[in-house]
């Protein structure tokens, strides 16, 4: 069926962006207002130490600029995503990005100047000036950085090194996205098709084993040809991490990375230790997968194809909304009514695909807008899960913006995936309890098991690789292609096991294709996120109202405290191994169910 053009899509199927700006002219007025406000912000430069009142005025001015800027940038970006071929909105989105960069530069003086004020002075001001007290957590968090701020001369040099430090990531990005070509393979119909990064996962999910094998071998044979170049690029990235950590007097690159969100290093260590202790469950899963696929031995290219074929179940959007709401019923009437209105009458969701629309799905918006959701809904189970996932993000944003001032309304990456994965867990639980169809049950359990494998186990393996690589450089060792291959291959053997499992030689070079490795010590947060979400969802399902209240308070908290503190108040202590173990216990129980159903 031919896709509709954007203007042919009925309004009820589109998100309501007119409530932000009804015309380009209205957007232009606010764009101009932001430009006019920037000199008012920079007028505070050099003056923050004058008094509590001056500091308060500067912070309020920053928030006023940022709030309007976000609205301007978000609207232009979302209009562009409606139809990526529309040159008008391409231009507006580009202008929005430029304005954002200009505003970021204009506000750059704030943190260094705050840090130049004696800590005891700021704390006295917090007690004296009631308005400033609303910024207490933000200012205390800024003061934490003081021990790692160097002299003005050193800071200037470090700032000038910014582009150099970003070079390895830029080089890898150009090589990976533009220059590498992976050749062609034969698809399920025997047609010669080009292998691209975008198509790779689809080929790995193919029911035809030879298609999976071809894709795997073509991709990693290509990376292996460039392994020395990519190893030098990645080694440079790790060396840059170590350099910046030492320049700012952190004990390690990992300590520097975790400092920003005030996450103790014990959280990272607990994750690695607890997942490694539970590797026998992953080995069991691998063996179950081998049996269910009817294979004598499992290869690395057999890990993504579904163990259970797609359940041919048509789920129109309206039915998906009702099912998701039933699944979320344990969260209470207020949550569900807000969610219902958001997905229907308030038009948070841009539902269906149209010609030129951005692919995929996301939750987006600003403090002053609705928490919008972009979908490309396909009337199937996967799309219903995606809707539940993105709704989790949007409800987190809704409650946070409603209950927090602007400067605390956002939330950190450490907790960003909690609400979305929580919703998926409740949906899975509801669907499993409301069907007697063994095939549907197996499909749902397969979906959940794969979420755990790819998000908890695999991302932890990535986190362990990063940790080892950085430790090697900190110990003065070289990261050659051979060294990186050996580290990565040994991790795969340990994680997936070797009984009935062939850890193919080519998997050794997979480290060379992971762009997240150029944002060091980032991926562990996917694993901690699914662990926290699983533990919280289990509490809601077993404890009822007390756990619901804790969870809703978490959604309302934004970034008003450190992430680990907010999760602790919700009922999950991420500084202990317990939430990781609880999530892995759920994985083991799902595995038991799948083994029973498979016979």
């Amino acid at each position: 069926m031919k896709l509709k053009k954007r203007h042919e899509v009925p309004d009820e199927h589109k998100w309501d962006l007119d409530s932000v700006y009804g015309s380009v002219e209205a957007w232009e007025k606010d764009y101009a207002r932001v430009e006019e406000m920037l000199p008012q912000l920079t007028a505070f430069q050099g003056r923050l130490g004058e008094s509590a009142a001056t500091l308060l005025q500067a912070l309020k001015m920053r928030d006023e600029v940022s709030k309007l800027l976000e609205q301007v940038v978000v609207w232009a970006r979302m209009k562009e995503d409606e139809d990526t071929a529309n040159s008008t909105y391409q231009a507006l989105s580009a202008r929005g990005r430029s304005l954002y960069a200009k505003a970021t530069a204009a506000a750059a003086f704030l943190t260094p100047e705050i840090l130049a004020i004696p800590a005891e002075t700021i704390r006295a001001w917090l007690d004296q000036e009631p308005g400033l007290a609303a910024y207490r957590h933000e200012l205390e968090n800024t003061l934490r950085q003081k021990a790692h701020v160097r002299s003005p001369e050193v800071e200037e040099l470090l700032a000038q090194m910014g582009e150099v430090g970003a070079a390895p990531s830029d080089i890898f990005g150009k090589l990976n996205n533009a220059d590498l070509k992976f050749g062609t393979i034969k698809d399920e119909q025997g047609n010669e098709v080009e292998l691209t990064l975008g198509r790779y996962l689809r080929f790995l999910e193919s029911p035809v084993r030879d298609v999976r094998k071809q894709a795997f071998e073509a991709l990693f044979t290509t990376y292996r040809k460039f392994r020395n170049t990519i190893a030098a690029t990645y080694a440079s990235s790790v060396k840059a991490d170590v350099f910046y950590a030492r320049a700012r007097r952190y004990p390690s690159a990992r300590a520097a990375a975790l400092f920003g969100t005030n996450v103790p290093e014990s959280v990272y260590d607990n994750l690695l230790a607890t997942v490694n202790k539970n590797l026998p469950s992953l080995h069991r899963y691998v063996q179950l997968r081998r049996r269910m696929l009817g294979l004598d031995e499992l290869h690395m290219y057999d890990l993504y194809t579904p163990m259970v074929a797609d359940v041919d179940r048509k789920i129109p959007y309206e039915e998906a909304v009702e099912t998701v709401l039933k699944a979320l019923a344990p969260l209470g009437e207020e949550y569900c009514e807000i969610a219902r209105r958001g997905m229907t009458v308030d038009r948070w969701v841009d539902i269906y695909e149209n010609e030129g629309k951005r692919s995929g799905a996301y939750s987006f918006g600003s403090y002053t807008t609705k928490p919008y959701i972009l979908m490309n809904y396909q009337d199937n189970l996967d799309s219903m899960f995606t809707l539940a996932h993105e709704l989790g993000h949007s409800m987190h944003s809704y409650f946070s913006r409603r209950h927090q001032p602007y400067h605390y309304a956002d939330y950190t990456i450490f907790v960003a995936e909690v609400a979305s994965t929580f919703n998926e867990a409740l949906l899975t639980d509801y669907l499993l309890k409301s069907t007697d169809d063994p095939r549907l049950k197996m499909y749902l359990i397969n979906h959940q098991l794969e979420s755990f494998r790819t998000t908890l186990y695999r991302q932890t393996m990535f986190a362990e690789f990063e940790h080892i690589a950085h430790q090697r450089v900190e110990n003065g060792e070289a990261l050659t292609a051979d060294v990186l291959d050996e580290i990565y291959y040994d991790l795969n053997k340990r994680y997936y096991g070797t009984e009935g499992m062939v850890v193919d030689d080519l998997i050794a070079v997979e480290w060379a294709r992971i762009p997240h490795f150029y944002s060091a010590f980032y991926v562990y947060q996917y694993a901690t996120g699914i662990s926290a979400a699983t533990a919280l969802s289990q509490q809601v399902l077993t404890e009822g109202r007390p756990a619901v209240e804790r969870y809703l308070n978490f959604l309302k908290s934004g970034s008003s405290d450190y992430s680990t503190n907010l999760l602790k108040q919700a009922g999950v202590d991420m500084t202990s191994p317990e939430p990781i173990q609880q999530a892995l216990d759920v994985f083991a129980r799902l595995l038991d169910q799948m083994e029973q159903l498979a016979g």
Side-chain angles (χ1 to χ4, degrees):
M1 189 172 70
K2 189 179 178 184
L3 289 176
K4 290 181 178 179
K5 295 188 182 296
R6 184 66 189 181
H7 69 269
E8 296 172 332
V9 178
D11 283 349
E12 61 267 26
H13 295 161
K14 296 190 284 194
W15 50 24
D16 171 29
L17 293 189
D18 285 349
S19 62
V20 185
Y21 295 113
S23 66
V24 171
E25 290 72 27
W27 180 86
E28 292 283 7
K29 284 180 183 176
D30 273 357
Y31 183 99
R33 277 184 63 205
V34 174
E35 287 192 308
E36 290 165 8
M37 290 162 69
L38 293 182
Q40 298 173 50
L41 176 60
T42 54
F44 286 99
Q45 190 163 357
R47 298 180 50 216
L48 298 191
E50 287 178 2
S51 66
T54 302
L55 178 57
L56 176 59
Q57 288 167 10
L59 292 173
K60 283 185 171 180
M61 190 68 220
R62 175 206 63 183
D63 290 351
E64 195 179 332
V65 171
S66 297
K67 198 187 299 182
L68 187 58
L69 172 68
E70 265 188 19
Q71 183 175 297
V72 165
V73 171
V74 162
W75 186 84
R77 154 79 186 276
M78 293 171 74
K79 291 299 289 184
E80 181 186 23
D81 288 348
E82 290 178 350
D83 181 358
T84 56
N86 187 311
S87 59
T88 298
Y89 296 118
Q90 285 176 5
L92 295 188
S93 186
R95 285 175 58 203
R97 290 192 297 272
S98 297
L99 184 61
Y100 183 86
K102 189 176 176 182
T104 301
F109 72 93
L110 285 162
T111 298
E113 281 198 33
I114 290 169
L115 288 171
I117 303 168
E120 57 271 21
T121 300
I122 287 180
R123 291 190 176 114
W125 286 353
L126 285 167
D127 293 334
Q128 295 163 12
E129 173 57 66
L132 198 59
Y135 292 88
R136 183 180 295 275
H137 173 65
E138 179 188 342
L139 289 168
E140 289 286 0
N141 191 35
T142 302
L143 290 175
R144 283 195 312 117
Q145 301 174 32
K146 204 153 206 168
H148 304 290
V149 175
R150 304 296 302 275
S151 67
E153 293 81 5
V154 173
E155 284 295 328
E156 186 180 347
L157 280 173
L158 289 173
Q160 290 175 9
M161 281 290 291
E163 253 185 294
V164 178
S169 178
D170 292 342
I171 293 166
F172 174 74
K174 295 288 190 296
L175 177 67
N176 203 42
N177 298 319
D179 294 342
L180 287 185
K181 302 298 177 190
F182 304 101
T184 61
I185 65 168
K186 289 189 176 177
D187 67 10
E188 292 84 353
Q189 288 75 42
N191 301 315
E192 200 82 17
V193 291
E194 184 183 1
L195 174 64
T196 64
L197 290 175
R199 293 173 179 169
Y200 177 63
L201 184 58
R202 179 166 63 81
F203 289 134
L204 273 198
E205 292 173 345
S206 172
V208 179
R209 198 180 195 201
D210 190 53
V211 171
R212 304 197 297 265
K213 184 172 186 282
Q214 287 180 71
F216 177 85
E217 291 180 348
L219 190 90
F220 289 118
T221 299
T222 302
Y223 278 108
R224 191 161 62 178
K225 290 175 185 174
F226 294 91
R227 61 196 281 274
N228 292 303
T229 298
I230 302 175
T233 306
Y234 179 59
S236 297
S237 182
V238 175
K239 287 174 184 175
D241 296 334
V242 173
F243 165 76
Y244 283 115
R246 287 174 175 168
R248 294 202 176 279
R249 297 172 177 151
Y250 290 100
S252 67
R254 188 179 75 168
L258 271 60
F259 180 85
T261 47
N262 200 29
V263 173
E265 288 190 82
S266 60
V267 170
Y268 206 101
D269 292 329
N270 285 336
L271 174 67
L272 300 189
T274 309
V275 167
N276 271 274
K277 191 173 75 175
N278 286 269
L279 288 178
S281 290
L282 182 59
H283 300 164
R284 258 179 73 204
Y285 173 64
V286 166
Q287 293 314 308
L288 176 64
R289 169 173 278 276
R290 179 179 62 81
R291 290 197 302 274
M292 289 185 68
L293 292 176
L295 301 173
D296 293 331
E297 57 185 23
L298 202 73
H299 283 257
M300 300 306 293
Y301 48 79
D302 296 320
L303 287 171
Y304 289 88
T305 189
M307 296 189 293
V308 182
D310 282 354
V311 176
D312 187 18
R313 185 174 165 191
K314 188 175 175 63
I315 306 173
Y317 178 75
E318 294 74 18
E319 182 184 332
V321 167
E322 292 307 314
T323 304
V324 168
L325 290 170
K326 288 174 185 173
L328 300 177
L331 294 178
E333 288 182 18
E334 183 194 13
Y335 184 101
C336 288
E337 182 54 26
I338 294 165
R340 178 189 297 279
R341 289 188 63 85
M343 290 187 286
T344 54
V345 295
D346 289 341
R347 293 172 51 204
W348 293 0
V349 190
D350 205 76
I351 304 170
Y352 300 111
E353 190 177 5
N354 61 252
E355 193 176 301
K357 184 177 174 180
R358 176 184 161 139
S359 62
Y362 64 61
S363 168
F364 200 40
S366 73
Y367 190 77
T368 53
T369 72
K370 298 172 181 179
Y372 294 106
I373 297 171
L374 179 134
M375 290 285 296
N376 283 275
Y377 193 82
Q378 297 294 321
D379 286 4
N380 57 29
L381 272 166
D382 277 351
S383 280
M384 182 165 69
F385 270 98
T386 301
L387 178 64
H389 180 101
E390 300 304 338
L391 179 67
H393 286 307
S394 286
M395 292 299 287
H396 194 175
S397 297
Y398 175 89
F399 280 111
S400 179
R401 291 168 188 162
R402 191 177 178 188
H403 291 272
Q404 294 297 325
Y406 174 76
H407 55 283
Y408 293 144
D410 205 356
Y411 40 85
T412 66
I413 295 295
F414 190 79
V415 300
E417 291 300 325
V418 172
S420 53
T421 313
F422 176 99
N423 276 13
E424 287 195 70
L426 287 194
L427 179 58
T428 300
D429 181 80
Y430 171 78
L431 291 172
L432 284 172
K433 287 175 178 173
S434 58
T435 182
D436 294 322
D437 181 350
R439 187 155 193 80
L440 178 57
K441 283 192 172 187
M442 290 171 74
Y443 178 88
L444 293 166
I445 294 171
N446 178 72
H447 180 277
Q448 200 72 345
L449 287 170
E450 273 298 279
S451 290
F452 278 106
R453 181 186 74 80
T454 56
T455 309
L456 183 46
Y457 280 108
R458 181 170 162 80
Q459 298 297 333
T460 301
M461 185 181 78
F462 285 174
E464 191 165 353
F465 173 81
E466 287 188 285
H467 185 44
I468 294 168
H470 283 78
Q471 282 187 320
R472 295 282 180 96
V473 169
E474 286 167 340
N475 292 335
E477 299 173 43
L479 285 184
T480 64
D482 286 344
V483 167
L484 292 166
D485 280 1
E486 182 184 0
I487 295 169
Y488 198 82
Y489 187 77
D490 288 348
L491 284 170
N492 271 276
K493 277 207 310 189
R494 175 156 36 99
Y495 272 70
Y496 289 106
T498 53
E499 185 185 341
M501 176 79 211
V502 178
V503 181
D504 302 89
D505 290 344
L506 277 173
I507 201 65
V509 79
E510 188 183 32
W511 60 267
R513 70 171 288 253
I514 310 298
H516 274 109
F517 287 161
Y518 293 85
S519 301
F521 304 107
Y522 178 94
V523 296
Y524 86 98
Q525 296 170 114
Y526 292 121
T528 54
I530 193 174
S531 299
T534 302
L536 289 169
S537 64
Q538 291 296 303
Q539 289 175 21
V540 164
L541 291 169
T542 55
E543 291 180 38
R545 200 64 211 168
V548 170
E549 290 298 332
R550 293 196 304 268
Y551 178 69
L552 293 178
N553 285 334
F554 161 73
L555 295 185
K556 295 170 183 175
S557 298
S559 56
S560 58
D561 200 348
Y562 297 117
S563 298
T564 50
N565 291 346
L566 294 175
L567 286 172
K568 196 175 291 186
Q569 291 158 22
V572 178
D573 183 2
M574 295 307 296
T575 62
S576 85
E578 189 179 351
I580 313 293
Q581 187 59 57
Q582 286 176 348
L584 291 162
D585 289 344
V586 171
F587 177 80
R589 290 199 295 272
L590 288 167
L591 194 52
D592 291 341
Q593 291 179 52
M594 185 64 112
E595 286 173 337
Q596 289 168 10
L597 287 165

